[in-house]
Amino acid sequence: MSNTVLTIANLHAELRAGRKTGPGILRNVSLTVHQGEMHGLVGESGAGKSMIARAILGILPRSILISDGSIDCLGRQMVGLADSDRRKILGRDISLIPQDPLTALNPARRIGAQMTDVMRLHLGWSRARAHDAALALLNEVHIRDAEAVLRRYPHELSGGMRQRVLIATAFACEPKLIIADEPTTALDVTVQKQILRLLREMQNRHGTAILLVTHDLGVVAKMCRSLSVIHSGMIVEQGEVSDIVTRPEHAFTRALFAATPRYDRPADALSPVPGEVVRELEEKAATFDRARAGLS
Ligand SMILES: Nc1ncnc2c1ncn2[C@@H]1O[C@H](COP(=O)(O)OP(=O)(O)OP(=O)(O)O)[C@@H](O)[C@H]1O
Ligand SMILES: [Mg+2]
Protein backbone atom coordinates (compact mmCIF):
# COMPACT_ATOMS: atom_id res chain seq x y z
CA MET A 1 0.00 0.00 0.00
CA SER A 2 1.18 3.50 -0.81
CA ASN A 3 2.33 5.55 2.15
CA THR A 4 1.28 8.87 0.63
CA VAL A 5 -1.72 10.71 2.00
CA LEU A 6 -1.71 13.55 -0.50
CA THR A 7 -0.54 13.70 -4.10
CA ILE A 8 -1.11 16.87 -6.08
CA ALA A 9 -0.14 16.43 -9.74
CA ASN A 10 0.25 19.20 -12.34
CA LEU A 11 -2.42 21.39 -10.81
CA HIS A 12 -3.39 24.53 -12.71
CA ALA A 13 -5.87 27.08 -11.37
CA GLU A 14 -6.86 30.36 -12.94
CA LEU A 15 -8.90 33.42 -12.27
CA ARG A 16 -12.05 33.62 -14.39
CA ALA A 17 -14.50 36.47 -14.89
CA GLY A 18 -17.36 35.57 -17.21
CA ARG A 19 -15.75 34.04 -20.27
CA LYS A 20 -12.48 35.76 -19.69
CA THR A 21 -9.56 33.86 -18.25
CA GLY A 22 -7.18 35.81 -16.08
CA PRO A 23 -3.69 35.06 -14.88
CA GLY A 24 -2.70 31.62 -13.65
CA ILE A 25 -3.05 31.49 -9.85
CA LEU A 26 -1.45 28.01 -9.65
CA ARG A 27 0.80 26.77 -12.41
CA ASN A 28 1.75 23.12 -12.73
CA VAL A 29 1.84 22.51 -8.98
CA SER A 30 2.88 19.01 -7.87
CA LEU A 31 3.58 17.92 -4.33
CA THR A 32 3.38 14.82 -2.18
CA VAL A 33 2.83 14.42 1.55
CA HIS A 34 3.66 11.05 3.12
CA GLN A 35 1.97 9.38 6.07
CA GLY A 36 2.89 10.96 9.38
CA GLU A 37 5.27 13.59 7.95
CA MET A 38 5.18 17.35 8.30
CA HIS A 39 5.66 18.97 4.87
CA GLY A 40 6.32 22.70 4.71
CA LEU A 41 4.80 24.85 1.98
CA VAL A 42 6.60 28.16 2.01
CA GLY A 43 6.47 31.26 -0.16
CA GLU A 44 5.87 35.00 -0.15
CA SER A 45 2.49 36.62 0.39
CA GLY A 46 0.28 36.12 -2.66
CA ALA A 47 2.34 33.16 -3.92
CA GLY A 48 -0.65 30.81 -3.89
CA LYS A 49 -0.15 28.87 -0.63
CA SER A 50 -3.71 29.30 0.61
CA MET A 51 -5.07 28.56 -2.85
CA ILE A 52 -3.36 25.16 -2.70
CA ALA A 53 -4.85 24.56 0.76
CA ARG A 54 -8.28 25.63 -0.45
CA ALA A 55 -8.02 23.53 -3.62
CA ILE A 56 -7.36 20.44 -1.48
CA LEU A 57 -10.34 21.21 0.75
CA GLY A 58 -12.53 22.17 -2.23
CA ILE A 59 -13.21 25.66 -0.93
CA LEU A 60 -11.68 27.84 -3.64
CA PRO A 61 -13.31 31.22 -4.28
CA ARG A 62 -15.95 30.98 -7.05
CA SER A 63 -13.83 33.05 -9.41
CA ILE A 64 -10.91 30.61 -9.29
CA LEU A 65 -11.23 27.45 -11.33
CA ILE A 66 -9.05 24.39 -11.53
CA SER A 67 -8.29 23.99 -15.23
CA ASP A 68 -6.02 20.95 -15.10
CA GLY A 69 -4.36 18.43 -12.79
CA SER A 70 -5.43 16.24 -9.93
CA ILE A 71 -5.47 16.11 -6.12
CA ASP A 72 -5.46 12.60 -4.71
CA CYS A 73 -6.09 12.53 -0.99
CA LEU A 74 -6.22 9.13 0.74
CA GLY A 75 -7.13 7.46 -2.54
CA ARG A 76 -9.93 9.91 -3.39
CA GLN A 77 -9.90 12.41 -6.23
CA MET A 78 -10.70 15.77 -4.65
CA VAL A 79 -11.04 17.76 -7.88
CA GLY A 80 -14.69 17.72 -8.86
CA LEU A 81 -15.78 15.75 -5.79
CA ALA A 82 -19.49 16.15 -4.99
CA ASP A 83 -20.22 18.40 -2.01
CA SER A 84 -22.05 15.61 -0.18
CA ASP A 85 -18.95 13.39 -0.38
CA ARG A 86 -16.69 16.26 0.56
CA ARG A 87 -18.70 16.98 3.72
CA LYS A 88 -18.09 13.41 4.90
CA ILE A 89 -14.34 13.81 4.53
CA LEU A 90 -13.68 17.32 5.85
CA GLY A 91 -13.19 17.37 9.61
CA ARG A 92 -12.87 13.60 9.64
CA ASP A 93 -10.12 12.45 7.24
CA ILE A 94 -8.72 15.91 6.49
CA SER A 95 -8.96 18.86 8.82
CA LEU A 96 -7.84 22.44 8.83
CA ILE A 97 -6.09 24.61 11.38
CA PRO A 98 -6.77 28.14 10.14
CA GLN A 99 -4.75 31.33 10.36
CA ASP A 100 -7.17 33.37 12.40
CA PRO A 101 -8.55 31.48 15.41
CA LEU A 102 -11.16 34.14 16.21
CA THR A 103 -13.00 34.21 12.89
CA ALA A 104 -12.76 30.41 12.61
CA LEU A 105 -14.91 29.97 15.72
CA ASN A 106 -18.59 30.80 15.86
CA PRO A 107 -18.88 33.76 18.29
CA ALA A 108 -22.41 32.79 19.34
CA ARG A 109 -21.72 29.22 20.45
CA ARG A 110 -19.86 27.81 23.42
CA ILE A 111 -16.47 26.12 22.88
CA GLY A 112 -17.88 22.78 24.09
CA ALA A 113 -20.71 22.78 21.54
CA GLN A 114 -18.31 23.60 18.70
CA MET A 115 -15.85 20.90 19.69
CA THR A 116 -18.41 18.17 20.24
CA ASP A 117 -20.31 18.91 16.98
CA VAL A 118 -17.54 17.47 14.86
CA MET A 119 -17.37 14.21 16.83
CA ARG A 120 -21.14 13.81 16.99
CA LEU A 121 -21.46 14.41 13.26
CA HIS A 122 -18.57 12.30 11.97
CA LEU A 123 -18.24 9.60 14.61
CA GLY A 124 -21.91 9.43 15.64
CA TRP A 125 -21.00 9.82 19.30
CA SER A 126 -23.50 10.72 22.03
CA ARG A 127 -23.35 14.17 23.62
CA ALA A 128 -21.82 12.69 26.81
CA ARG A 129 -19.14 10.70 25.00
CA ALA A 130 -18.18 13.67 22.79
CA HIS A 131 -18.06 15.90 25.92
CA ASP A 132 -15.61 13.52 27.64
CA ALA A 133 -13.48 13.34 24.50
CA ALA A 134 -13.44 17.17 24.23
CA LEU A 135 -12.27 17.38 27.86
CA ALA A 136 -9.47 14.90 27.17
CA LEU A 137 -8.45 16.83 24.05
CA LEU A 138 -8.30 20.15 25.93
CA ASN A 139 -6.08 18.49 28.53
CA GLU A 140 -3.88 17.19 25.73
CA VAL A 141 -3.36 20.72 24.39
CA HIS A 142 -2.49 21.87 27.95
CA ILE A 143 -5.56 23.96 28.67
CA ARG A 144 -6.13 24.24 32.39
CA ASP A 145 -9.62 24.09 33.86
CA ALA A 146 -10.89 22.43 30.70
CA GLU A 147 -14.40 21.89 32.08
CA ALA A 148 -14.87 25.67 32.53
CA VAL A 149 -13.36 26.43 29.10
CA LEU A 150 -15.93 24.16 27.42
CA ARG A 151 -18.65 26.45 28.81
CA ARG A 152 -17.02 29.67 27.56
CA TYR A 153 -17.57 31.63 24.35
CA PRO A 154 -14.66 32.29 21.94
CA HIS A 155 -14.31 35.98 22.90
CA GLU A 156 -13.66 34.93 26.52
CA LEU A 157 -10.43 33.13 25.54
CA SER A 158 -7.03 34.55 24.57
CA GLY A 159 -5.78 34.13 20.98
CA GLY A 160 -3.35 31.41 22.04
CA MET A 161 -6.09 29.49 23.88
CA ARG A 162 -8.42 29.77 20.88
CA GLN A 163 -5.71 28.32 18.64
CA ARG A 164 -5.20 25.47 21.16
CA VAL A 165 -8.94 24.77 20.96
CA LEU A 166 -8.77 24.67 17.15
CA ILE A 167 -5.74 22.37 17.21
CA ALA A 168 -7.57 20.05 19.63
CA THR A 169 -10.64 20.08 17.36
CA ALA A 170 -8.55 19.38 14.26
CA PHE A 171 -7.25 16.18 15.90
CA ALA A 172 -10.66 15.15 17.31
CA CYS A 173 -11.57 12.57 14.65
CA GLU A 174 -7.98 11.31 14.20
CA PRO A 175 -7.65 12.64 10.61
CA LYS A 176 -4.88 11.32 8.35
CA LEU A 177 -4.03 14.81 7.07
CA ILE A 178 -4.15 18.22 8.71
CA ILE A 179 -3.66 21.40 6.73
CA ALA A 180 -2.31 24.16 8.94
CA ASP A 181 -2.52 27.45 7.03
CA GLU A 182 -0.25 29.98 8.76
CA PRO A 183 -1.41 28.67 12.18
CA THR A 184 0.64 31.17 14.16
CA THR A 185 0.62 34.33 12.04
CA ALA A 186 -2.12 36.01 14.10
CA LEU A 187 -0.32 35.36 17.41
CA ASP A 188 2.50 37.16 19.18
CA VAL A 189 6.01 35.75 19.06
CA THR A 190 6.16 33.94 22.40
CA VAL A 191 2.75 32.33 21.85
CA GLN A 192 3.79 31.35 18.30
CA LYS A 193 6.63 29.26 19.70
CA GLN A 194 4.35 27.49 22.19
CA ILE A 195 1.77 26.73 19.50
CA LEU A 196 4.38 25.32 17.11
CA ARG A 197 5.79 23.15 19.90
CA LEU A 198 2.27 21.93 20.66
CA LEU A 199 1.57 21.17 17.01
CA ARG A 200 4.68 19.00 16.81
CA GLU A 201 3.88 17.27 20.09
CA MET A 202 0.35 16.45 18.88
CA GLN A 203 1.66 15.29 15.52
CA ASN A 204 4.16 12.93 17.12
CA ARG A 205 1.52 11.51 19.43
CA HIS A 206 -1.14 11.00 16.77
CA GLY A 207 1.11 10.24 13.78
CA THR A 208 -0.85 12.65 11.56
CA ALA A 209 0.55 14.02 8.31
CA ILE A 210 0.59 17.82 8.29
CA LEU A 211 0.90 20.28 5.42
CA LEU A 212 2.31 23.33 7.18
CA VAL A 213 1.69 26.49 5.19
CA THR A 214 3.87 29.43 6.16
CA HIS A 215 5.87 32.34 4.79
CA ASP A 216 8.56 31.65 7.39
CA LEU A 217 11.43 29.49 6.21
CA GLY A 218 12.85 29.43 9.75
CA VAL A 219 9.67 27.72 11.00
CA VAL A 220 9.85 25.13 8.21
CA ALA A 221 13.52 24.44 8.90
CA LYS A 222 12.67 23.68 12.54
CA MET A 223 9.43 21.78 12.08
CA CYS A 224 9.52 19.88 8.78
CA ARG A 225 11.48 17.13 7.11
CA SER A 226 10.42 17.99 3.55
CA LEU A 227 9.46 21.22 1.90
CA SER A 228 8.07 22.86 -1.22
CA VAL A 229 8.90 26.45 -2.09
CA ILE A 230 6.23 28.29 -4.09
CA HIS A 231 6.75 31.51 -5.99
CA SER A 232 4.12 33.24 -8.17
CA GLY A 233 1.95 30.11 -8.29
CA MET A 234 4.78 27.72 -9.20
CA ILE A 235 6.74 25.27 -7.10
CA VAL A 236 10.33 26.34 -7.62
CA GLU A 237 12.11 24.02 -5.21
CA GLN A 238 11.18 20.80 -3.45
CA GLY A 239 12.90 18.16 -1.36
CA GLU A 240 14.35 17.36 2.04
CA VAL A 241 14.72 20.39 4.30
CA SER A 242 18.30 19.43 5.23
CA ASP A 243 19.34 19.44 1.53
CA ILE A 244 17.58 22.68 0.68
CA VAL A 245 18.88 24.53 3.72
CA THR A 246 22.47 23.60 2.88
CA ARG A 247 22.19 23.85 -0.92
CA PRO A 248 19.25 26.00 -2.08
CA GLU A 249 19.20 25.66 -5.87
CA HIS A 250 16.66 28.23 -6.90
CA ALA A 251 17.43 31.94 -6.75
CA PHE A 252 14.09 32.59 -5.05
CA THR A 253 14.86 30.13 -2.23
CA ARG A 254 18.22 31.81 -1.71
CA ALA A 255 16.44 35.17 -1.62
CA LEU A 256 13.99 33.79 0.98
CA PHE A 257 16.90 32.64 3.14
CA ALA A 258 18.57 36.02 2.80
CA ALA A 259 15.32 37.67 3.93
CA THR A 260 14.94 35.45 7.02
CA PRO A 261 16.01 37.42 10.10
CA ARG A 262 18.86 35.93 12.08
CA TYR A 263 19.87 37.00 15.54
CA ASP A 264 23.56 36.66 14.69
CA ARG A 265 23.29 39.15 11.82
CA PRO A 266 22.60 42.87 11.98
CA ALA A 267 19.13 43.94 10.84
CA ASP A 268 20.47 46.02 7.96
CA ALA A 269 21.80 42.84 6.32
CA LEU A 270 18.21 41.82 5.47
CA SER A 271 17.31 41.87 1.80
CA PRO A 272 13.76 42.06 0.46
CA VAL A 273 12.44 39.31 -1.81
CA PRO A 274 11.53 40.61 -5.26
CA GLY A 275 7.99 39.50 -6.12
CA GLU A 276 4.73 40.46 -7.79
CA VAL A 277 3.65 42.70 -4.90
CA VAL A 278 6.94 44.56 -4.70
CA ARG A 279 7.00 44.98 -8.48
CA GLU A 280 3.41 46.22 -8.50
CA LEU A 281 4.14 48.77 -5.76
CA GLU A 282 7.27 49.93 -7.58
CA GLU A 283 5.27 50.40 -10.78
CA LYS A 284 2.57 52.35 -8.93
CA ALA A 285 5.22 54.53 -7.29
CA ALA A 286 6.84 55.19 -10.70
CA THR A 287 3.47 56.13 -12.24
CA PHE A 288 2.80 58.45 -9.30
CA ASP A 289 6.22 60.06 -9.66
CA ARG A 290 5.67 60.57 -13.40
CA ALA A 291 2.25 62.13 -12.78
CA ARG A 292 3.70 64.42 -10.11
CA ALA A 293 6.57 65.45 -12.40
CA GLY A 294 3.99 66.24 -15.12
CA LEU A 295 2.05 68.49 -12.72
CA SER A 296 5.02 70.54 -11.53
N1 LIG B 1 -10.98 35.56 -3.54
C1 LIG B 1 -10.05 35.72 -4.49
N2 LIG B 1 -10.42 35.96 -5.78
C2 LIG B 1 -9.47 36.13 -6.73
N3 LIG B 1 -8.16 36.05 -6.52
C3 LIG B 1 -7.73 35.81 -5.27
C4 LIG B 1 -8.66 35.63 -4.19
N4 LIG B 1 -7.95 35.40 -3.07
C5 LIG B 1 -6.64 35.44 -3.43
N5 LIG B 1 -6.52 35.68 -4.75
C6 LIG B 1 -5.25 35.78 -5.51
O1 LIG B 1 -4.67 34.50 -5.56
C7 LIG B 1 -3.25 34.59 -5.46
C8 LIG B 1 -2.76 33.65 -4.40
O2 LIG B 1 -3.31 34.05 -3.16
P1 LIG B 1 -3.11 33.21 -1.83
O3 LIG B 1 -4.17 33.68 -0.88
O4 LIG B 1 -3.05 31.77 -2.14
O5 LIG B 1 -1.68 33.70 -1.34
P2 LIG B 1 -0.83 33.19 -0.10
O6 LIG B 1 0.43 32.59 -0.63
O7 LIG B 1 -1.68 32.35 0.78
O8 LIG B 1 -0.46 34.57 0.61
P3 LIG B 1 -0.50 34.99 2.17
O9 LIG B 1 0.87 34.61 2.71
O10 LIG B 1 -0.68 36.48 2.12
O11 LIG B 1 -1.62 34.28 2.86
C9 LIG B 1 -2.93 36.06 -5.18
O12 LIG B 1 -2.47 36.62 -6.38
C10 LIG B 1 -4.23 36.65 -4.77
O13 LIG B 1 -4.33 37.99 -5.22
MG1 LIG C 1 -2.52 32.58 2.68
Side-chain angles (χ1 to χ4, degrees), residues 102 105-109 111 114 152-159 162:
L102 185 57
L105 287 161
N106 182 338
R109 298 190 70 220
I111 298 295
Q114 300 192 53
R152 297 218 180 110
Y153 288 93
H155 74 269
E156 297 177 287
L157 307 184
S158 68
R162 285 193 286 261

Coordinates of all heavy atoms in Angstrom, one line a residue, residues 102 105-109 111 114 152-159 162:
L102 N -9.9 33.5 15.8 CA -11.2 34.1 16.2 C -12.3 34.0 15.2 O -13.4 33.6 15.5 CB -10.9 35.6 16.5 CG -12.2 36.3 17.1 CD1 -12.6 35.6 18.4 CD2 -11.9 37.8 17.4
L105 N -13.9 30.5 14.7 CA -14.9 30.0 15.7 C -16.2 30.8 15.6 O -16.2 32.0 15.4 CB -14.3 30.1 17.1 CG -13.2 29.0 17.4 CD1 -12.4 29.5 18.6 CD2 -13.8 27.7 17.7
N106 N -17.3 30.1 15.9 CA -18.6 30.8 15.9 C -18.7 31.6 17.2 O -18.7 31.0 18.3 CB -19.7 29.7 15.7 CG -21.1 30.3 15.7 OD1 -21.3 31.5 16.1 ND2 -22.0 29.6 15.2
P107 N -18.9 32.9 17.1 CA -18.9 33.8 18.3 C -20.1 33.5 19.2 O -20.1 33.8 20.4 CB -18.9 35.2 17.8 CG -19.4 35.1 16.4 CD -19.0 33.8 15.8
A108 N -21.1 32.9 18.6 CA -22.4 32.8 19.3 C -22.6 31.4 20.0 O -23.6 31.2 20.7 CB -23.6 33.0 18.4
R109 N -21.6 30.6 19.8 CA -21.7 29.2 20.4 C -20.6 28.9 21.4 O -19.4 29.4 21.2 CB -21.8 28.2 19.3 CG -23.0 28.4 18.4 CD -23.1 27.2 17.5 NE -23.6 26.0 18.2 CZ -23.2 24.8 17.9 NH1 -22.3 24.6 17.0 NH2 -23.6 23.8 18.6
I111 N -17.6 26.9 23.4 CA -16.5 26.1 22.9 C -16.9 24.6 22.9 O -16.6 23.9 21.9 CB -15.2 26.3 23.8 CG1 -14.7 27.8 23.7 CG2 -14.1 25.4 23.4 CD1 -14.3 28.3 22.4
Q114 N -19.0 23.6 20.0 CA -18.3 23.6 18.7 C -17.4 22.4 18.6 O -17.2 21.8 17.5 CB -17.6 24.9 18.5 CG -18.5 26.1 18.5 CD -17.9 27.4 18.1 OE1 -17.3 27.5 17.0 NE2 -18.0 28.4 18.9
R152 N -17.3 28.3 28.0 CA -17.0 29.7 27.6 C -17.3 29.9 26.1 O -17.4 29.0 25.3 CB -15.6 30.0 27.8 CG -15.2 30.0 29.3 CD -14.2 31.1 29.7 NE -14.0 30.9 31.1 CZ -12.8 30.5 31.6 NH1 -11.8 30.3 30.8 NH2 -12.6 30.4 32.9
Y153 N -17.4 31.2 25.7 CA -17.6 31.6 24.3 C -16.2 32.0 23.8 O -15.3 32.4 24.6 CB -18.5 32.8 24.3 CG -20.0 32.4 24.5 CD1 -20.5 32.5 25.8 CD2 -20.8 31.9 23.5 CE1 -21.8 32.1 26.0 CE2 -22.1 31.5 23.7 CZ -22.6 31.6 25.0 OH -23.9 31.1 25.2
P154 N -16.0 32.0 22.5 CA -14.7 32.3 21.9 C -14.1 33.6 22.4 O -12.9 33.7 22.7 CB -14.9 32.3 20.4 CG -16.0 31.4 20.2 CD -16.9 31.5 21.4
H155 N -14.9 34.7 22.5 CA -14.3 36.0 22.9 C -13.8 36.0 24.3 O -13.1 36.9 24.7 CB -15.3 37.1 22.7 CG -16.4 37.1 23.7 ND1 -17.6 36.4 23.6 CD2 -16.5 37.7 25.0 CE1 -18.3 36.6 24.7 NE2 -17.7 37.4 25.5
E156 N -14.1 35.0 25.1 CA -13.7 34.9 26.5 C -12.3 34.3 26.6 O -11.7 34.2 27.7 CB -14.7 34.2 27.4 CG -16.0 34.9 27.4 CD -17.0 34.1 28.2 OE1 -17.5 33.0 27.7 OE2 -17.4 34.5 29.4
L157 N -11.7 33.8 25.5 CA -10.4 33.1 25.5 C -9.4 34.0 24.9 O -9.7 34.8 24.0 CB -10.5 31.8 24.8 CG -11.5 30.8 25.2 CD1 -11.3 29.5 24.4 CD2 -11.5 30.5 26.7
S158 N -8.1 33.8 25.2 CA -7.0 34.5 24.6 C -6.8 33.9 23.2 O -7.3 32.8 22.9 CB -5.7 34.4 25.4 OG -5.3 33.1 25.4
G159 N -6.1 34.6 22.3 CA -5.8 34.1 21.0 C -5.1 32.8 21.0 O -5.4 31.9 20.3
R162 N -7.5 30.1 22.0 CA -8.4 29.8 20.9 C -7.7 28.9 19.9 O -8.3 27.9 19.3 CB -8.9 31.1 20.2 CG -9.9 31.8 21.0 CD -10.6 32.9 20.1 NE -9.7 34.0 19.9 CZ -9.7 35.2 20.5 NH1 -10.6 35.4 21.5 NH2 -8.9 36.1 20.2

